[in-house]
Amino acid sequence: MGRANAAYYAQRDPFADFTTAPEICQAFGEVLGLWAAVTWETLGRPNPVLLAEAGPGRGTLMRDALRAIGQAAPHFRSALRLHLIETSPRLREVQVAVLPEATWHADLASVPPGPMILLANEFLDALPIRQFVRRGEAWTERFVQDGAWLESPSPPASEGEGAGALQIRQSVRRGEWTERFVQDGPRL
């Protein structure tokens, strides 16, 4: 997935393709900033504490969060060290202008150890999902291919796969692991 995202963000303007909650209303980032302040209190007010964001996009969410933190929780603002996890050099350039105090990392493993509060809204938005739809008595996997919705039937449940349980069946297809949810028993 990292390679696919890197190619997408390197070749396209993601801001022309979609809008996320922080871009619609500053209250979203402000509320997350206030949540982070409450969480910091719950952690015992560690100083320093890492406030990190994975996939910060334009930096809007963190900018709004820091504004709220600075107004409502100045002691937390003083204690926090800002870290951003971003693989796109292009997006880092945008973020530097908005959040010059940040330290950038290519992955979570390179963030220094210590107490951390991690935000990941835009990162989670960009993760691929697998969607499964029940059609009568069978499950199908729905996906997009060449700009159109397609559905592929799931294989039937095999003997011994717990009746009534939602399970994961793993199979090898084209050298990659895929997972399929199989319903065997009553409808959900």
Side-chain angles (χ1 to χ4, degrees), residues 131-150:
Q131 185 178 41
F132 296 86
V133 179
R134 183 146 184 137
R135 301 285 184 214
E137 295 298 316
W139 286 95
T140 63
E141 180 177 2
R142 182 169 30 189
F143 55 94
V144 176
Q145 183 175 325
D146 300 323
W149 285 106
L150 296 177

Side-chain angles (χ1 to χ4, degrees), residues 3-18 90:
R3 286 188 303 245
N5 278 347
Y8 173 82
Y9 287 105
Q11 298 171 7
R12 300 182 61 116
D13 179 4
F15 307 123
D17 288 344
F18 55 84
R90 187 168 170 220

Side-chain angles (χ1 to χ4, degrees), residues 12 29 35 50 56 58 61 77 87 93 95 110 119 133 136 162:
R12 300 182 61 116
W35 167 84
L50 307 177
R58 289 185 177 132
L61 183 149
R77 181 67 178 98
T87 59
E93 288 176 18
Q95 296 156 9
S110 65
L119 304 177
V133 179

Side-chain angles (χ1 to χ4, degrees), residues 60-111:
T60 305
L61 183 149
M62 188 58 75
R63 180 195 63 210
D64 295 340
L66 291 174
R67 183 177 51 255
I69 290 166
Q71 292 172 0
H75 294 296
F76 174 44
R77 181 67 178 98
S78 296
L80 72 83
R81 305 298 177 263
L82 183 59
H83 292 265
L84 301 178
I85 303 162
E86 179 60 69
T87 59
S88 167
R90 187 168 170 220
L91 289 176
R92 281 187 184 193
E93 288 176 18
V94 174
Q95 296 156 9
V96 166
V98 178
L99 302 163
E101 73 184 88
T103 301
W104 278 264
H105 305 273
D107 56 40
L108 184 59
S110 65
V111 176

